[in-house]
Amino acid sequence: MASLIPSMRLGAVGRQDFLSVCHKCLCRRPQSVPSRALQLLRQSRRHGTTIATATTATAIKRPTLPPAFFSTVSASLMSTAAPAVSKASTRAFPEVTSSKSVAYWLLGSAASVFGIVVFGGLTRLTESGLSITEWKPVTGSLPPLTQEHWESEFERYRASPEFKMLNSHMDLAEFKKIYYMEWTHRLWGRVIGLSFVIPTAYFIARRRVSVPMACTLAGISGLIGFQGFIGWWMVKSGLKDDLFAPGSHPRVSQYRLTAHLATAFVCYSWMLLAGLSVLRNRRLLANPANAMKLVETLKHPAITPLRRSVTALTALVSTTVLSGALVAGLDAGLIYNEFPKMGLGLTPPASELWDKFYSREEDRSDLWWRNMLENPSLVQLDHRILATTTFCSVLALFVYARRGRVASVLPKDARKGVTGMVHLVFLQAALGISTLIYMVPIPLAAAHQAGALALLTGSLVLAHRLRIPRSTLRLIQKRLAAMPK
């Protein structure tokens, strides 16, 4: 009995509020009005109870609910679920992508594309690109595992024009070397595709990226798949017997090689700019006040001509890179191995530059553009002119950024970007001239291709530092307005 006293006391304390209220006050309390669905349910139950008590039948029939009840219930459920669905859809994607993991993953993917571009150049320079004569996106991930499989692959390579005209002396051991070069290049491409597509699906499914970034990632994923198709389309052109001239070097089409390299450069640039944008958004939104100061600085009238010049310079660097792809596709670096002259003068004779041999129309209407794209002498001259123009343009940009009002308002990181461009263009010019003079040795040629991508990287980074998109500006203004004054 003594043990029940404390619990009784607690129960009494817990009921004090209820006992201290009189009956009249309880009756005056407002009561919640039941919903229409609940009223119909209660009426139906009362109706059923009346029928059950009035009848003497042994079987009791269940009350039949009126149709208005179901329509009311469904409407109430829909009205309750609709806000939840709309709320989930509005919060499906963040307003801005600011995750460091997304940024570092994009930059890491760009670095991998940079590496495969250089390795692809090595594959071409070692004449390994035509060693695999079939395209098997799934089953081709594994190399031949038995001696029988190796013999089968080697037999297919023996039927190619490259083996018949260049490598007829090659044995199986030598074939394995060039095979592994091309197989590694293709495997690297598959790894890039999987390591990008799978995280893309994860980031989009888990709402880790904004809608524009999700579209960007989906576009890059599609471009990676398209790049694999372009690669095989290029290789296929080197497996045909209809070479340009009898006895010429078996090689892939210079047009398809240029398309393959251009797609790789676009993919790399897209990844790089997307990763840099995420990091910049994160940095600017962390301090909106300083971000607005940077916006006002970049809006200065003196910066506008510089921004346009950097955009034009980026286009010039890209054009020079594509010109270099034509030089590589035609082996045009193996002629006129001197600089700055080409033979007896700065340019070869006009009759050599505009040779009628390359025209395929009777009226010679294609003489100009076919010589510019298929004549090794003119293709090399075009590349020299574009490279020299790029070199002088970078130096002119450096001088312009160091003088007048531009120097006083140019942000520090943009000034460093201009200086970096100067260093890169000097290095690239030295690599290009050395590659030409020494007749395209493999190490120098691969370094020259890497230098081209590095110079394009410097140009893209500089352009990125001089421009803030309007979407980012709106977010900065929104964050600044939300800050307490």
Side-chain angles (χ1 to χ4, degrees):
M1 184 66 182
S3 61
L4 297 176
I5 294 177
S7 59
M8 294 172 64
R9 291 177 179 175
L10 292 175
V13 172
R15 300 290 293 178
Q16 284 180 358
D17 295 340
F18 175 76
L19 295 175
S20 60
V21 182
C22 64
H23 180 71
K24 292 183 179 181
C25 295
L26 289 174
C27 294
R28 292 176 183 175
R29 287 186 177 180
Q31 297 182 358
S32 59
V33 180
S35 63
R36 176 63 178 169
L38 188 57
Q39 291 178 1
L40 292 174
L41 181 61
R42 288 176 178 176
Q43 291 176 4
S44 63
R45 287 181 177 177
R46 292 169 186 168
H47 180 68
T49 304
T50 304
I51 295 176
T53 55
T55 185
T56 58
T58 57
I60 300 177
K61 295 183 179 181
R62 293 183 180 180
T64 304
L65 298 179
F69 169 75
F70 295 101
S71 61
T72 307
V73 172
S74 61
S76 61
L77 291 176
M78 291 297 295
S79 61
T80 306
V85 174
S86 61
K87 184 177 180 181
S89 61
T90 54
R91 67 179 183 182
F93 293 95
E95 190 176 14
V96 62
T97 304
S98 59
S99 175
K100 277 188 176 181
S101 59
V102 176
Y104 293 151
W105 164 67
L106 283 168
L107 295 179
S109 299
S112 185
V113 175
F114 191 107
I116 197 175
V117 168
V118 177
F119 191 82
L122 288 172
T123 304
R124 180 186 56 81
L125 291 167
T126 56
E127 297 180 351
S128 305
L130 300 178
S131 57
I132 302 179
T133 59
E134 293 180 335
W135 188 43
K136 300 178 180 179
V138 179
T139 59
S141 302
L142 295 176
L145 301 178
T146 63
Q147 184 67 21
E148 181 181 357
H149 292 164
W150 276 114
E151 292 290 346
S152 177
E153 287 290 337
F154 191 32
E155 189 64 29
R156 280 192 285 267
Y157 178 67
R158 287 174 179 171
S160 66
E162 185 177 68
F163 178 84
K164 295 177 180 179
M165 302 181 65
L166 290 179
N167 298 329
S168 57
H169 61 281
M170 180 177 289
D171 56 10
L172 183 59
E174 294 173 332
F175 170 71
K176 288 182 178 181
K177 295 179 181 179
I178 63 173
Y179 184 94
Y180 275 121
M181 284 287 294
E182 175 64 11
W183 175 80
T184 303
H185 181 63
R186 296 190 183 190
L187 181 64
W188 196 340
R190 292 184 177 96
V191 171
I192 291 176
L194 291 177
S195 63
F196 195 90
V197 172
I198 294 176
T200 293
Y202 171 79
F203 286 133
I204 294 177
R206 297 301 299 270
R207 276 68 170 173
R208 297 285 299 276
V209 295
S210 61
V211 174
M213 182 58 67
C215 295
T216 296
L217 298 182
I220 296 175
S221 300
L223 186 62
I224 292 175
F226 180 69
Q227 172 71 337
F229 169 76
I230 290 291
W232 169 246
W233 181 58
M234 176 195 67
V235 170
K236 191 176 180 181
S237 66
L239 301 176
K240 298 179 179 180
D241 294 329
D242 53 343
L243 302 177
F244 187 77
S248 62
H249 192 290
R251 54 173 174 255
V252 299
S253 168
Q254 73 272 20
Y255 300 113
R256 301 185 186 187
L257 174 64
T258 304
H260 188 51
L261 184 66
T263 308
F265 272 48
V266 170
C267 187
Y268 167 80
S269 304
W270 207 349
M271 292 177 178
L272 176 67
L273 292 177
L276 293 177
S277 298
V278 174
L279 294 179
R280 179 182 60 188
N281 292 339
R282 182 183 179 89
R283 183 179 67 254
L284 294 179
L285 296 178
N287 194 338
N290 290 342
M292 285 305 299
K293 293 180 181 179
L294 177 61
V295 170
E296 295 300 326
T297 300
L298 295 180
K299 285 184 178 180
H300 196 279
I303 300 294
T304 302
L306 180 66
R307 185 185 302 113
R308 293 174 180 172
S309 300
V310 172
T311 303
L313 181 60
T314 304
L316 179 61
V317 172
S318 302
T319 306
T320 307
V321 168
L322 298 181
S323 173
L326 290 175
V327 172
L330 294 172
D331 291 330
L334 298 177
I335 59 176
Y336 293 111
N337 301 106
E338 51 192 344
F339 190 84
K341 290 187 175 182
M342 296 181 69
L344 300 178
L346 293 176
T347 65
S351 58
E352 181 181 346
L353 295 178
W354 309 108
D355 196 342
K356 297 179 181 180
F357 170 77
Y358 297 97
S359 177
R360 301 181 185 179
E361 301 293 338
E362 295 181 358
D363 57 354
R364 308 298 183 188
S365 58
D366 59 342
L367 179 67
W368 289 80
W369 70 267
R370 283 201 180 274
N371 274 277
M372 293 183 68
L373 300 176
E374 298 178 0
N375 186 346
S377 300
L378 186 54
V379 167
Q380 187 190 126
L381 177 62
D382 292 340
H383 187 62
R384 289 189 182 209
I385 294 173
L386 288 170
T388 304
T389 305
T390 302
F391 181 82
C392 296
S393 299
V394 173
L395 296 184
L397 182 71
F398 176 77
V399 174
Y400 178 76
R402 295 284 176 168
R403 300 182 62 182
R405 294 186 302 169
V406 179
S408 60
V409 299
L410 189 64
K412 185 177 180 180
D413 59 346
R415 189 180 300 110
K416 290 182 179 180
V418 175
T419 305
M421 285 286 293
V422 174
H423 295 162
L424 289 172
V425 78
F426 268 103
L427 177 62
Q428 179 66 351
L431 288 173
I433 295 173
S434 301
T435 302
L436 180 66
I437 291 176
Y438 291 102
M439 299 186 66
V440 197
I442 293 178
L444 283 177
H448 185 51
Q449 184 167 341
L453 191 51
L455 184 61
L456 180 62
T457 302
S459 180
L460 290 172
V461 171
L462 179 57
H464 182 268
R465 292 176 178 178
L466 292 174
R467 181 178 289 103
I468 295 181
R470 294 181 181 179
S471 58
T472 305
L473 179 59
R474 287 194 296 267
L475 291 173
I476 295 173
Q477 294 173 345
K478 187 176 180 180
R479 291 286 180 91
L480 196 61
M483 293 179 62
K485 300 182 180 179

PDB file of all heavy atoms in Angstrom, residues 57-89:
ATOM      1  N   ALA A  57     -33.572 -10.261 -39.697  1.00  0.00           N
ATOM      2  CA  ALA A  57     -32.879 -11.225 -40.566  1.00  0.00           C
ATOM      3  C   ALA A  57     -31.632 -11.720 -39.891  1.00  0.00           C
ATOM      4  O   ALA A  57     -31.006 -11.016 -39.099  1.00  0.00           O
ATOM      5  CB  ALA A  57     -32.552 -10.584 -41.903  1.00  0.00           C
ATOM      6  N   THR A  58     -31.228 -12.951 -40.218  1.00  0.00           N
ATOM      7  CA  THR A  58     -30.016 -13.523 -39.630  1.00  0.00           C
ATOM      8  C   THR A  58     -28.760 -12.934 -40.208  1.00  0.00           C
ATOM      9  O   THR A  58     -27.735 -12.831 -39.546  1.00  0.00           O
ATOM     10  CB  THR A  58     -30.014 -15.033 -39.862  1.00  0.00           C
ATOM     11  OG1 THR A  58     -30.105 -15.273 -41.266  1.00  0.00           O
ATOM     12  CG2 THR A  58     -31.196 -15.688 -39.173  1.00  0.00           C
ATOM     13  N   ALA A  59     -28.797 -12.570 -41.466  1.00  0.00           N
ATOM     14  CA  ALA A  59     -27.611 -11.976 -42.117  1.00  0.00           C
ATOM     15  C   ALA A  59     -27.690 -10.473 -42.015  1.00  0.00           C
ATOM     16  O   ALA A  59     -28.711  -9.881 -42.338  1.00  0.00           O
ATOM     17  CB  ALA A  59     -27.547 -12.415 -43.583  1.00  0.00           C
ATOM     18  N   ILE A  60     -26.630  -9.863 -41.571  1.00  0.00           N
ATOM     19  CA  ILE A  60     -26.558  -8.416 -41.410  1.00  0.00           C
ATOM     20  C   ILE A  60     -25.802  -7.852 -42.608  1.00  0.00           C
ATOM     21  O   ILE A  60     -24.640  -8.215 -42.853  1.00  0.00           O
ATOM     22  CB  ILE A  60     -25.842  -8.030 -40.102  1.00  0.00           C
ATOM     23  CG1 ILE A  60     -26.591  -8.610 -38.917  1.00  0.00           C
ATOM     24  CG2 ILE A  60     -25.714  -6.533 -39.987  1.00  0.00           C
ATOM     25  CD1 ILE A  60     -25.924  -8.349 -37.577  1.00  0.00           C
ATOM     26  N   LYS A  61     -26.427  -6.996 -43.347  1.00  0.00           N
ATOM     27  CA  LYS A  61     -25.796  -6.406 -44.522  1.00  0.00           C
ATOM     28  C   LYS A  61     -24.922  -5.232 -44.124  1.00  0.00           C
ATOM     29  O   LYS A  61     -25.275  -4.461 -43.236  1.00  0.00           O
ATOM     30  CB  LYS A  61     -26.851  -5.931 -45.515  1.00  0.00           C
ATOM     31  CG  LYS A  61     -27.682  -7.061 -46.097  1.00  0.00           C
ATOM     32  CD  LYS A  61     -28.640  -6.515 -47.121  1.00  0.00           C
ATOM     33  CE  LYS A  61     -29.464  -7.634 -47.730  1.00  0.00           C
ATOM     34  NZ  LYS A  61     -30.397  -7.105 -48.755  1.00  0.00           N
ATOM     35  N   ARG A  62     -23.757  -5.103 -44.801  1.00  0.00           N
ATOM     36  CA  ARG A  62     -22.865  -3.968 -44.560  1.00  0.00           C
ATOM     37  C   ARG A  62     -23.470  -2.697 -45.130  1.00  0.00           C
ATOM     38  O   ARG A  62     -24.106  -2.726 -46.174  1.00  0.00           O
ATOM     39  CB  ARG A  62     -21.501  -4.214 -45.200  1.00  0.00           C
ATOM     40  CG  ARG A  62     -20.731  -5.347 -44.556  1.00  0.00           C
ATOM     41  CD  ARG A  62     -19.372  -5.474 -45.183  1.00  0.00           C
ATOM     42  NE  ARG A  62     -18.615  -6.552 -44.567  1.00  0.00           N
ATOM     43  CZ  ARG A  62     -17.385  -6.876 -44.926  1.00  0.00           C
ATOM     44  NH1 ARG A  62     -16.794  -6.200 -45.900  1.00  0.00           N
ATOM     45  NH2 ARG A  62     -16.765  -7.863 -44.316  1.00  0.00           N
ATOM     46  N   PRO A  63     -23.283  -1.609 -44.464  1.00  0.00           N
ATOM     47  CA  PRO A  63     -23.831  -0.352 -44.977  1.00  0.00           C
ATOM     48  C   PRO A  63     -23.150   0.046 -46.273  1.00  0.00           C
ATOM     49  O   PRO A  63     -21.938  -0.083 -46.419  1.00  0.00           O
ATOM     50  CB  PRO A  63     -23.541   0.657 -43.857  1.00  0.00           C
ATOM     51  CG  PRO A  63     -22.394   0.085 -43.126  1.00  0.00           C
ATOM     52  CD  PRO A  63     -22.539  -1.410 -43.209  1.00  0.00           C
ATOM     53  N   THR A  64     -23.933   0.513 -47.212  1.00  0.00           N
ATOM     54  CA  THR A  64     -23.407   0.961 -48.505  1.00  0.00           C
ATOM     55  C   THR A  64     -23.105   2.450 -48.437  1.00  0.00           C
ATOM     56  O   THR A  64     -23.989   3.265 -48.139  1.00  0.00           O
ATOM     57  CB  THR A  64     -24.426   0.708 -49.616  1.00  0.00           C
ATOM     58  OG1 THR A  64     -24.760  -0.669 -49.624  1.00  0.00           O
ATOM     59  CG2 THR A  64     -23.879   1.140 -50.967  1.00  0.00           C
ATOM     60  N   LEU A  65     -21.817   2.785 -48.678  1.00  0.00           N
ATOM     61  CA  LEU A  65     -21.407   4.187 -48.609  1.00  0.00           C
ATOM     62  C   LEU A  65     -21.838   4.913 -49.872  1.00  0.00           C
ATOM     63  O   LEU A  65     -21.728   4.369 -50.972  1.00  0.00           O
ATOM     64  CB  LEU A  65     -19.886   4.287 -48.451  1.00  0.00           C
ATOM     65  CG  LEU A  65     -19.326   3.654 -47.177  1.00  0.00           C
ATOM     66  CD1 LEU A  65     -17.812   3.794 -47.154  1.00  0.00           C
ATOM     67  CD2 LEU A  65     -19.934   4.283 -45.929  1.00  0.00           C
ATOM     68  N   PRO A  66     -22.324   6.122 -49.734  1.00  0.00           N
ATOM     69  CA  PRO A  66     -22.740   6.883 -50.918  1.00  0.00           C
ATOM     70  C   PRO A  66     -21.552   7.256 -51.782  1.00  0.00           C
ATOM     71  O   PRO A  66     -20.427   7.374 -51.293  1.00  0.00           O
ATOM     72  CB  PRO A  66     -23.409   8.124 -50.318  1.00  0.00           C
ATOM     73  CG  PRO A  66     -22.785   8.267 -48.979  1.00  0.00           C
ATOM     74  CD  PRO A  66     -22.524   6.881 -48.485  1.00  0.00           C
ATOM     75  N   PRO A  67     -21.741   7.479 -53.096  1.00  0.00           N
ATOM     76  CA  PRO A  67     -20.624   7.872 -53.987  1.00  0.00           C
ATOM     77  C   PRO A  67     -19.989   9.193 -53.578  1.00  0.00           C
ATOM     78  O   PRO A  67     -18.805   9.414 -53.827  1.00  0.00           O
ATOM     79  CB  PRO A  67     -21.286   7.968 -55.365  1.00  0.00           C
ATOM     80  CG  PRO A  67     -22.508   7.132 -55.252  1.00  0.00           C
ATOM     81  CD  PRO A  67     -22.984   7.228 -53.853  1.00  0.00           C
ATOM     82  N   ALA A  68     -20.787  10.061 -52.967  1.00  0.00           N
ATOM     83  CA  ALA A  68     -20.210  11.360 -52.556  1.00  0.00           C
ATOM     84  C   ALA A  68     -19.107  11.186 -51.533  1.00  0.00           C
ATOM     85  O   ALA A  68     -18.173  11.985 -51.463  1.00  0.00           O
ATOM     86  CB  ALA A  68     -21.319  12.262 -51.994  1.00  0.00           C
ATOM     87  N   PHE A  69     -19.208  10.077 -50.740  1.00  0.00           N
ATOM     88  CA  PHE A  69     -18.176   9.836 -49.739  1.00  0.00           C
ATOM     89  C   PHE A  69     -16.813   9.583 -50.390  1.00  0.00           C
ATOM     90  O   PHE A  69     -15.797  10.139 -50.010  1.00  0.00           O
ATOM     91  CB  PHE A  69     -18.584   8.644 -48.875  1.00  0.00           C
ATOM     92  CG  PHE A  69     -17.480   8.140 -47.979  1.00  0.00           C
ATOM     93  CD1 PHE A  69     -17.123   8.846 -46.840  1.00  0.00           C
ATOM     94  CD2 PHE A  69     -16.795   6.981 -48.289  1.00  0.00           C
ATOM     95  CE1 PHE A  69     -16.101   8.385 -46.025  1.00  0.00           C
ATOM     96  CE2 PHE A  69     -15.785   6.520 -47.492  1.00  0.00           C
ATOM     97  CZ  PHE A  69     -15.429   7.231 -46.337  1.00  0.00           C
ATOM     98  N   PHE A  70     -16.816   8.720 -51.421  1.00  0.00           N
ATOM     99  CA  PHE A  70     -15.537   8.384 -52.064  1.00  0.00           C
ATOM    100  C   PHE A  70     -14.955   9.582 -52.797  1.00  0.00           C
ATOM    101  O   PHE A  70     -13.739   9.792 -52.800  1.00  0.00           O
ATOM    102  CB  PHE A  70     -15.744   7.210 -53.039  1.00  0.00           C
ATOM    103  CG  PHE A  70     -16.143   5.953 -52.347  1.00  0.00           C
ATOM    104  CD1 PHE A  70     -17.465   5.540 -52.336  1.00  0.00           C
ATOM    105  CD2 PHE A  70     -15.207   5.167 -51.690  1.00  0.00           C
ATOM    106  CE1 PHE A  70     -17.836   4.376 -51.711  1.00  0.00           C
ATOM    107  CE2 PHE A  70     -15.570   3.997 -51.066  1.00  0.00           C
ATOM    108  CZ  PHE A  70     -16.889   3.595 -51.065  1.00  0.00           C
ATOM    109  N   SER A  71     -15.799  10.359 -53.449  1.00  0.00           N
ATOM    110  CA  SER A  71     -15.285  11.539 -54.142  1.00  0.00           C
ATOM    111  C   SER A  71     -14.708  12.544 -53.170  1.00  0.00           C
ATOM    112  O   SER A  71     -13.684  13.176 -53.430  1.00  0.00           O
ATOM    113  CB  SER A  71     -16.408  12.182 -54.968  1.00  0.00           C
ATOM    114  OG  SER A  71     -17.464  12.587 -54.122  1.00  0.00           O
ATOM    115  N   THR A  72     -15.367  12.667 -52.002  1.00  0.00           N
ATOM    116  CA  THR A  72     -14.861  13.614 -51.007  1.00  0.00           C
ATOM    117  C   THR A  72     -13.536  13.157 -50.423  1.00  0.00           C
ATOM    118  O   THR A  72     -12.599  13.931 -50.249  1.00  0.00           O
ATOM    119  CB  THR A  72     -15.897  13.788 -49.887  1.00  0.00           C
ATOM    120  OG1 THR A  72     -17.143  14.134 -50.461  1.00  0.00           O
ATOM    121  CG2 THR A  72     -15.454  14.844 -48.900  1.00  0.00           C
ATOM    122  N   VAL A  73     -13.456  11.847 -50.127  1.00  0.00           N
ATOM    123  CA  VAL A  73     -12.201  11.308 -49.577  1.00  0.00           C
ATOM    124  C   VAL A  73     -11.060  11.438 -50.565  1.00  0.00           C
ATOM    125  O   VAL A  73      -9.943  11.843 -50.230  1.00  0.00           O
ATOM    126  CB  VAL A  73     -12.406   9.837 -49.160  1.00  0.00           C
ATOM    127  CG1 VAL A  73     -11.075   9.209 -48.770  1.00  0.00           C
ATOM    128  CG2 VAL A  73     -13.386   9.756 -48.005  1.00  0.00           C
ATOM    129  N   SER A  74     -11.315  11.078 -51.835  1.00  0.00           N
ATOM    130  CA  SER A  74     -10.247  11.176 -52.840  1.00  0.00           C
ATOM    131  C   SER A  74      -9.811  12.616 -53.042  1.00  0.00           C
ATOM    132  O   SER A  74      -8.622  12.906 -53.207  1.00  0.00           O
ATOM    133  CB  SER A  74     -10.726  10.576 -54.161  1.00  0.00           C
ATOM    134  OG  SER A  74     -11.852  11.295 -54.633  1.00  0.00           O
ATOM    135  N   ALA A  75     -10.791  13.541 -53.001  1.00  0.00           N
ATOM    136  CA  ALA A  75     -10.416  14.949 -53.167  1.00  0.00           C
ATOM    137  C   ALA A  75      -9.573  15.436 -52.009  1.00  0.00           C
ATOM    138  O   ALA A  75      -8.599  16.177 -52.188  1.00  0.00           O
ATOM    139  CB  ALA A  75     -11.679  15.802 -53.304  1.00  0.00           C
ATOM    140  N   SER A  76      -9.968  14.985 -50.774  1.00  0.00           N
ATOM    141  CA  SER A  76      -9.183  15.412 -49.617  1.00  0.00           C
ATOM    142  C   SER A  76      -7.783  14.827 -49.644  1.00  0.00           C
ATOM    143  O   SER A  76      -6.804  15.485 -49.300  1.00  0.00           O
ATOM    144  CB  SER A  76      -9.904  15.000 -48.333  1.00  0.00           C
ATOM    145  OG  SER A  76     -10.044  13.584 -48.280  1.00  0.00           O
ATOM    146  N   LEU A  77      -7.678  13.550 -50.075  1.00  0.00           N
ATOM    147  CA  LEU A  77      -6.346  12.943 -50.173  1.00  0.00           C
ATOM    148  C   LEU A  77      -5.491  13.626 -51.224  1.00  0.00           C
ATOM    149  O   LEU A  77      -4.292  13.856 -51.033  1.00  0.00           O
ATOM    150  CB  LEU A  77      -6.474  11.451 -50.493  1.00  0.00           C
ATOM    151  CG  LEU A  77      -7.046  10.583 -49.366  1.00  0.00           C
ATOM    152  CD1 LEU A  77      -7.219   9.146 -49.860  1.00  0.00           C
ATOM    153  CD2 LEU A  77      -6.152  10.633 -48.141  1.00  0.00           C
ATOM    154  N   MET A  78      -6.084  13.949 -52.373  1.00  0.00           N
ATOM    155  CA  MET A  78      -5.332  14.624 -53.419  1.00  0.00           C
ATOM    156  C   MET A  78      -4.896  16.003 -52.989  1.00  0.00           C
ATOM    157  O   MET A  78      -3.787  16.455 -53.272  1.00  0.00           O
ATOM    158  CB  MET A  78      -6.172  14.705 -54.698  1.00  0.00           C
ATOM    159  CG  MET A  78      -6.407  13.361 -55.373  1.00  0.00           C
ATOM    160  SD  MET A  78      -4.874  12.598 -55.934  1.00  0.00           S
ATOM    161  CE  MET A  78      -4.397  13.785 -57.176  1.00  0.00           C
ATOM    162  N   SER A  79      -5.790  16.705 -52.287  1.00  0.00           N
ATOM    163  CA  SER A  79      -5.418  18.041 -51.822  1.00  0.00           C
ATOM    164  C   SER A  79      -4.327  17.991 -50.783  1.00  0.00           C
ATOM    165  O   SER A  79      -3.524  18.913 -50.647  1.00  0.00           O
ATOM    166  CB  SER A  79      -6.657  18.739 -51.246  1.00  0.00           C
ATOM    167  OG  SER A  79      -7.157  17.999 -50.132  1.00  0.00           O
ATOM    168  N   THR A  80      -4.258  16.878 -50.021  1.00  0.00           N
ATOM    169  CA  THR A  80      -3.199  16.739 -49.027  1.00  0.00           C
ATOM    170  C   THR A  80      -1.889  16.309 -49.660  1.00  0.00           C
ATOM    171  O   THR A  80      -0.811  16.746 -49.270  1.00  0.00           O
ATOM    172  CB  THR A  80      -3.616  15.709 -47.963  1.00  0.00           C
ATOM    173  OG1 THR A  80      -4.877  16.099 -47.428  1.00  0.00           O
ATOM    174  CG2 THR A  80      -2.586  15.620 -46.842  1.00  0.00           C
ATOM    175  N   ALA A  81      -1.976  15.438 -50.675  1.00  0.00           N
ATOM    176  CA  ALA A  81      -0.749  14.921 -51.294  1.00  0.00           C
ATOM    177  C   ALA A  81      -0.149  15.899 -52.281  1.00  0.00           C
ATOM    178  O   ALA A  81       1.063  15.904 -52.494  1.00  0.00           O
ATOM    179  CB  ALA A  81      -1.029  13.601 -52.000  1.00  0.00           C
ATOM    180  N   ALA A  82      -0.968  16.747 -52.907  1.00  0.00           N
ATOM    181  CA  ALA A  82      -0.445  17.651 -53.931  1.00  0.00           C
ATOM    182  C   ALA A  82       0.595  18.616 -53.386  1.00  0.00           C
ATOM    183  O   ALA A  82       1.654  18.791 -53.996  1.00  0.00           O
ATOM    184  CB  ALA A  82      -1.609  18.422 -54.579  1.00  0.00           C
ATOM    185  N   PRO A  83       0.363  19.264 -52.206  1.00  0.00           N
ATOM    186  CA  PRO A  83       1.425  20.145 -51.702  1.00  0.00           C
ATOM    187  C   PRO A  83       2.708  19.412 -51.404  1.00  0.00           C
ATOM    188  O   PRO A  83       3.795  19.939 -51.612  1.00  0.00           O
ATOM    189  CB  PRO A  83       0.788  20.736 -50.428  1.00  0.00           C
ATOM    190  CG  PRO A  83      -0.680  20.580 -50.613  1.00  0.00           C
ATOM    191  CD  PRO A  83      -0.851  19.327 -51.386  1.00  0.00           C
ATOM    192  N   ALA A  84       2.581  18.153 -50.889  1.00  0.00           N
ATOM    193  CA  ALA A  84       3.797  17.388 -50.594  1.00  0.00           C
ATOM    194  C   ALA A  84       4.584  17.087 -51.858  1.00  0.00           C
ATOM    195  O   ALA A  84       5.809  17.180 -51.894  1.00  0.00           O
ATOM    196  CB  ALA A  84       3.437  16.097 -49.866  1.00  0.00           C
ATOM    197  N   VAL A  85       3.869  16.709 -52.948  1.00  0.00           N
ATOM    198  CA  VAL A  85       4.554  16.409 -54.209  1.00  0.00           C
ATOM    199  C   VAL A  85       5.199  17.663 -54.788  1.00  0.00           C
ATOM    200  O   VAL A  85       6.342  17.648 -55.258  1.00  0.00           O
ATOM    201  CB  VAL A  85       3.564  15.788 -55.202  1.00  0.00           C
ATOM    202  CG1 VAL A  85       4.204  15.613 -56.563  1.00  0.00           C
ATOM    203  CG2 VAL A  85       3.062  14.446 -54.672  1.00  0.00           C
ATOM    204  N   SER A  86       4.454  18.762 -54.755  1.00  0.00           N
ATOM    205  CA  SER A  86       5.003  20.000 -55.299  1.00  0.00           C
ATOM    206  C   SER A  86       6.187  20.475 -54.479  1.00  0.00           C
ATOM    207  O   SER A  86       7.169  21.000 -55.013  1.00  0.00           O
ATOM    208  CB  SER A  86       3.927  21.085 -55.336  1.00  0.00           C
ATOM    209  OG  SER A  86       3.463  21.351 -54.019  1.00  0.00           O
ATOM    210  N   LYS A  87       6.102  20.262 -53.162  1.00  0.00           N
ATOM    211  CA  LYS A  87       7.231  20.662 -52.320  1.00  0.00           C
ATOM    212  C   LYS A  87       8.457  19.830 -52.619  1.00  0.00           C
ATOM    213  O   LYS A  87       9.586  20.336 -52.667  1.00  0.00           O
ATOM    214  CB  LYS A  87       6.837  20.522 -50.850  1.00  0.00           C
ATOM    215  CG  LYS A  87       7.899  21.010 -49.883  1.00  0.00           C
ATOM    216  CD  LYS A  87       7.401  20.901 -48.460  1.00  0.00           C
ATOM    217  CE  LYS A  87       8.480  21.400 -47.490  1.00  0.00           C
ATOM    218  NZ  LYS A  87       8.020  21.286 -46.077  1.00  0.00           N
ATOM    219  N   ALA A  88       8.236  18.518 -52.851  1.00  0.00           N
ATOM    220  CA  ALA A  88       9.374  17.649 -53.179  1.00  0.00           C
ATOM    221  C   ALA A  88       9.974  18.013 -54.522  1.00  0.00           C
ATOM    222  O   ALA A  88      11.191  17.946 -54.724  1.00  0.00           O
ATOM    223  CB  ALA A  88       8.922  16.192 -53.181  1.00  0.00           C
ATOM    224  N   SER A  89       9.113  18.410 -55.474  1.00  0.00           N
ATOM    225  CA  SER A  89       9.636  18.761 -56.792  1.00  0.00           C
ATOM    226  C   SER A  89      10.401  20.073 -56.764  1.00  0.00           C
ATOM    227  O   SER A  89      11.376  20.241 -57.488  1.00  0.00           O
ATOM    228  CB  SER A  89       8.491  18.842 -57.795  1.00  0.00           C
ATOM    229  OG  SER A  89       7.569  19.844 -57.408  1.00  0.00           O
TER     230      SER A  89
END
